[in-house]
Amino acid sequence: MKYILSLLLIIGLAMTSYSKSNEIGEDIDVIHYEIHLNEINISDMTIDAATTITLKTLSSIDKIELELKSLNVTSVTSDDVNVNDFSQNGDILSIALSTSVAANSTIALTVNYGGSTFNENWGGIHWSNDYVYNLGVGFDSQPHNLGKCWFPCVDDFNDKASYDLYITYPENMVSSCGGLLNETIDNNDGTKTDHWVMSQEIATYLMSFAIGDFILWEDTYQGMERDIPINVYAKANQIDKVEATFANTKAIAAFFEDKLGPFPFNRISYVSTSLGCMEHVDNIAMASSLITGTTNMSSDFYISHEMSHSWFGNKVTCASAADMWLNEGFATFCNYYYLSGLYSEEDFINSIKDLTDDIILSCHNSEGWIPLNNMPLDLTYGTTVYDKGAIIAYTMMNYLGRETFDEAIKFYLNKFDSKAASSEDLRDAVSESSGIDMSDFFDTWVFTPGSPVYVVKDFTVQPNGNKFDVEVTMNQGHRGYEHIGNSVRYEITFVDENWNTHSEMISWDGATGICSATIDFEPVAVFCDYNNKFADASNEMTFVINKTGSNNFSSAKFKAITEEISDSTLLRVEHHWMGANSANELPEGLTISPDRYWSIYRLDKGESKIKGEFQYQNNANYDGNLMISENDSIVLLYRTNGSEPWQSINYEHQGYNNYGRMTV
């Protein structure tokens, strides 16, 4: 959801107070909206409209409050109750009733209104000479929901309703709206009225309209349970590019149905807009710059991301903006997950690994250390929500196992179908489906800022017939917050001198765990997360080196420089973003970095001469506390494993106190 497409994506939002009254909608449940956009004046950029709101009272009330932004109300009427008066104060429409209405009553109110519409840099109603459309949320607006900018409503994630939309507009244009087109009426005055029906209950920000000089491109996807229309509304100068751009749409839909369950809405439909993208139900706003006439991962990224919102966000909506990762984090995960079906498992794993390395390196720099489930409003659409949310979803998949994860997510989506859900709801649903208590996982990965760090302290090997018993001591830390988790599930990989590997999922509680495994060969090394399954605060990479030259691992601040090699070398680099534990006293006057250290494994076939370049940079993001005074200097220490003391090592130093490199 919600991508600004330009040369830069900049989300710089000032923290403001939550402007919406917490009481709006608490005493009513809106059942249905009947919206009449009676006039859309393109030259004046105004609308004249009426909306009938059918609602159920949850308690005895004598006042109803709705939200309406920028537009002016001219009357409020009802056949069910006597309306005494109404007033507007900012975005709040207060409707006073002549008498109290009892709880569990169903009433309908008709609000007539109009005027100039609201928009910000992204969200709201956008006007041009040849199209008008809405985007259901705004980055700058707080709260972000902008259903209120075109009809009076309870504009939150929890109050879902069905819709009838009657939209009147110039007869030479085409409308693309949420729901299914039920009827088109020629008004014989240069306008026509389309009647769109949204029978499913959705949140207000997901209902949408667009009118423009569109041409409709149509196809059909043979879905899991039914044939589903595929619609793309594009401009005349784009229509020839649509088929190639959307060539993988059916395959993406099939992948998501397999993993998430049957497609939950009426159509897979996209409309070309100047800004995008936004996952309105049945009417996804798609930035026109993305309709390029080529089929590739880049265009698929946006098509798949917005389609996946049909499940994450549209079918089940986050209960509040603080839990937006349930919408955006899972949708971002999905637009990587589909790579495993359409392209290859390797593309999926490598793409997620690159994203993980980026997030570990930089996410906290701009947004700080914050838990996923308690996001401030100014960071609702930030990197933590989208990208860290995605890699935590990926970590959960590997914590549970892929098949168990897929079934648990289907269970969650069905349990909260047409409802709103919280992180706690997801936790409990996944626990119920899988039979695995997810409390500790959520405590560590979702409810606590930062990320855990898991490292091999040491290991011992004992022969056992033609097998080997291995005992591995694991240490756990946490970057960005004081936390030690329980119910750890983590993959380690044993490696022998011929580079044969065997991976095991191990479990333990607390800061230190001793884990045992019996394997077929004698290991000479134990790697952490060799298959890149977990978003712990470590960067890991394995190089197979068979020629001279450099191998750079920039996110780990490391470079391998091979000067001579007769055969090949396996070089494993693990860069841990936490301070290393000391096995005993450090040399006098030295302080270990609290931020990071490296584990290096080298297994040679033949002979080689390889240098390792370890980089530092004294800045606000890391290494900033190494240099306390100008008299300090940075040194490099070495130990054979986590049980041994740190010791001096010969190295070449180039650089200064603030930045440099040490080569071993």
Side-chain angles (χ1 to χ4, degrees):
M1 165 166 134
K2 290 144 283 323
Y3 285 97
I4 301 176
L5 289 164
S6 61
L7 292 179
L8 294 175
L9 169 60
I10 302 175
I11 304 176
L13 308 179
M15 175 71 81
T16 62
S17 61
Y18 197 94
S19 60
K20 175 183 171 182
S21 167
N22 289 329
E23 298 178 356
I24 292 176
E26 287 189 349
D27 50 10
I28 62 174
D29 174 23
V30 177
I31 301 169
H32 185 73
Y33 294 97
E34 183 179 302
I35 305 168
H36 292 259
L37 295 181
N38 296 318
E39 181 183 3
I40 299 174
N41 191 317
I42 295 176
S43 60
D44 292 342
M45 293 187 289
T46 60
I47 65 171
D48 181 75
T51 295
T52 298
I53 304 104
T54 303
L55 59 89
K56 180 180 179 182
T57 59
L58 302 179
S59 61
S60 177
I61 60 172
D62 59 11
K63 181 177 72 172
I64 295 171
E65 288 189 329
L66 301 169
E67 294 171 87
L68 186 65
K69 192 173 188 67
S70 181
L71 301 165
N72 298 314
V73 175
T74 56
S75 68
V76 180
T77 60
S78 175
D79 292 334
D80 302 315
V81 294
N82 292 322
V83 176
N84 186 45
D85 197 7
F86 68 88
S87 62
Q88 289 181 270
N89 182 13
D91 295 349
I92 308 304
L93 170 63
S94 296
I95 303 168
L97 307 179
S98 298
T99 58
S100 294
V101 178
N104 297 315
S105 300
T106 299
I107 63 174
L109 298 165
T110 298
V111 180
N112 290 279
Y113 58 97
S116 298
T117 59
F118 169 85
N119 69 65
E120 55 170 67
N121 289 331
W122 201 83
I125 310 295
H126 292 271
W127 300 81
S128 180
N129 290 329
D130 55 357
Y131 60 82
V132 182
Y133 64 93
N134 81 296
L135 295 174
V137 300
F139 291 131
D140 298 329
S141 299
Q142 295 187 14
H144 305 290
N145 303 50
L146 289 177
K148 66 176 78 67
C149 75
W150 63 293
F151 63 98
C153 57
V154 176
D155 203 18
D156 65 22
F157 297 113
N158 296 276
D159 198 319
K160 297 189 173 187
S162 57
Y163 296 78
D164 280 274
L165 170 59
Y166 296 84
I167 182 169
T168 301
Y169 61 98
E171 62 183 3
N172 63 335
M173 303 177 85
V174 173
S175 77
S176 172
C177 304
L180 290 171
L181 181 59
N182 183 63
E183 182 183 20
T184 297
I185 300 171
D186 185 348
N187 298 318
N188 297 315
D189 60 359
T191 69
K192 58 185 174 183
T193 300
D194 286 346
H195 176 199
W196 293 84
V197 179
M198 174 65 70
S199 57
Q200 297 94 336
E201 293 188 348
I202 61 172
T204 50
Y205 77 97
L206 295 170
M207 190 59 185
S208 66
F209 75 91
I211 60 171
D213 58 345
F214 300 124
I215 298 174
L216 173 60
W217 181 89
E218 297 181 273
D219 200 350
T220 301
Y221 161 61
Q222 295 178 342
M224 180 179 291
E225 295 183 343
R226 59 192 168 90
D227 287 350
I228 300 169
I230 298 176
N231 298 162
V232 179
Y233 292 81
K235 300 294 186 66
N237 62 355
Q238 296 177 307
I239 195 67
D240 291 339
K241 301 177 182 178
V242 168
E243 184 171 0
T245 302
F246 290 86
N248 285 335
T249 303
K250 295 179 185 178
I252 293 169
F255 180 84
F256 287 155
E257 282 204 315
D258 178 59
K259 301 299 182 183
L260 307 175
F263 185 78
F265 294 102
N266 306 295
R267 300 177 294 142
I268 300 171
S269 187
Y270 298 80
V271 58
S272 173
T273 55
S274 58
L275 297 173
C277 304
M278 173 66 206
E279 71 275 15
H280 309 119
V281 173
D282 294 338
N283 193 38
I284 294 168
M286 189 77 168
S288 56
S289 60
L290 294 172
I291 303 176
T292 62
T294 58
T295 306
N296 52 46
M297 287 187 189
S298 179
S299 59
D300 284 353
F301 180 96
Y302 296 98
I303 293 169
S304 64
H305 181 99
E306 302 309 330
M307 189 194 299
S308 72
H309 273 305
S310 299
W311 292 267
F312 294 107
N314 300 2
K315 180 177 180 175
V316 179
T317 309
C318 61
S320 73
D323 258 330
M324 185 55 69
W325 81 284
L326 297 176
N327 290 16
E328 296 298 349
F330 272 89
T332 304
F333 164 74
C334 283
N335 57 243
Y336 289 98
Y337 195 13
Y338 91 92
L339 296 175
S340 66
L342 271 69
Y343 293 91
S344 71
E345 182 72 12
E346 184 179 9
D347 287 320
F348 171 42
I349 300 301
N350 289 342
S351 297
I352 281 284
K353 182 189 183 307
D354 290 344
L355 181 66
T356 302
D357 284 343
D358 288 342
I359 293 306
I360 291 170
L361 192 63
S362 62
C363 181
H364 60 286
N365 295 340
S366 59
E367 299 183 352
W369 301 106
I370 43 181
L372 271 178
N373 71 314
N374 193 21
M375 203 58 51
L377 277 175
D378 60 322
L379 299 178
T380 300
Y381 299 115
T383 303
T384 302
V385 164
Y386 281 75
D387 293 344
K388 185 176 180 184
I391 63 176
I392 298 311
Y394 175 72
T395 297
M396 188 192 306
M397 181 183 75
N398 291 303
Y399 184 93
L400 291 168
R402 191 171 301 191
E403 184 176 341
T404 300
F405 171 81
D406 288 344
E407 291 305 312
I409 292 302
K410 287 179 186 176
F411 179 83
Y412 159 74
L413 291 169
N414 289 329
K415 183 171 185 177
F416 293 96
D417 186 3
S418 302
K419 299 181 179 68
S422 66
S423 292
E424 290 81 3
D425 291 327
L426 174 63
R427 175 198 63 196
D428 295 345
V430 172
S431 298
E432 183 180 354
S433 173
S434 66
I436 299 171
D437 187 347
M438 296 295 288
S439 299
D440 289 333
F441 178 92
F442 273 72
D443 285 347
T444 294
W445 294 96
V446 177
F447 301 152
T448 299
S451 303
V453 187
Y454 307 123
V455 297
V456 174
K457 179 183 178 183
D458 55 34
F459 67 96
T460 60
V461 182
Q462 292 292 333
N464 181 1
N466 61 350
K467 297 183 181 296
F468 295 87
D469 294 331
V470 189
E471 192 171 84
V472 183
T473 302
M474 300 293 300
N475 282 345
Q476 175 187 179
H478 202 92
R479 185 189 189 205
Y481 199 79
E482 292 293 330
H483 175 81
I484 296 296
N486 292 319
S487 304
V488 178
R489 289 168 59 85
Y490 190 65
E491 188 177 86
I492 58 174
T493 298
F494 304 96
V495 188
D496 72 6
E497 61 184 5
N498 295 313
W499 307 356
N500 296 307
T501 63
H502 173 79
S503 297
E504 289 267 350
M505 189 73 78
I506 58 174
S507 303
W508 79 92
D509 293 327
T512 300
I514 299 176
C515 307
S516 301
T518 299
I519 61 176
D520 292 334
F521 56 74
E522 181 177 6
V524 296
V526 182
F527 298 162
C528 288
D529 196 20
Y530 179 69
N531 296 303
N532 300 309
K533 292 183 175 181
F534 295 87
D536 55 324
S538 296
N539 306 106
E540 303 107 355
M541 184 172 286
T542 303
F543 302 94
V544 174
I545 301 172
N546 52 27
K547 62 182 179 179
T548 59
S550 296
N551 293 87
N552 191 32
F553 188 8
S554 59
S555 58
K557 312 302 177 189
F558 174 83
K559 181 187 292 186
I561 305 164
T562 304
E563 297 180 333
E564 299 175 10
I565 188 162
S566 64
D567 191 333
S568 55
T569 291
L570 182 74
L571 189 69
R572 172 73 174 174
V573 181
E574 297 176 0
H575 182 235
H576 312 296
W577 284 101
M578 72 173 186
N581 295 327
S582 298
N584 56 10
E585 293 296 323
L586 292 171
E588 185 177 355
L590 294 184
T591 300
I592 288 286
S593 166
D595 296 326
R596 59 196 188 96
Y597 72 101
W598 296 266
S599 296
I600 309 292
Y601 305 87
R602 173 178 160 179
L603 302 175
D604 291 326
K605 293 181 179 178
E607 296 184 358
S608 59
K609 182 178 180 181
I610 302 174
K611 291 182 178 180
E613 179 185 284
F614 300 87
Q615 303 150 13
Y616 65 90
Q617 185 174 3
N618 189 345
N619 60 28
N621 301 328
Y622 52 86
D623 298 344
N625 49 14
L626 284 179
M627 308 298 291
I628 307 302
S629 75
E630 62 182 15
N631 296 321
D632 288 338
S633 60
I634 294 178
V635 299
L636 193 65
L637 300 178
Y638 164 80
R639 66 185 182 187
T640 55
N641 60 56
S643 297
E644 298 297 320
W646 291 102
Q647 55 187 289
S648 299
I649 188 172
N650 292 326
Y651 60 88
E652 300 172 3
H653 179 232
Q654 291 178 292
Y656 306 92
N657 285 351
N658 288 332
Y659 62 91
R661 56 186 183 268
M662 292 170 281
T663 306
V664 175

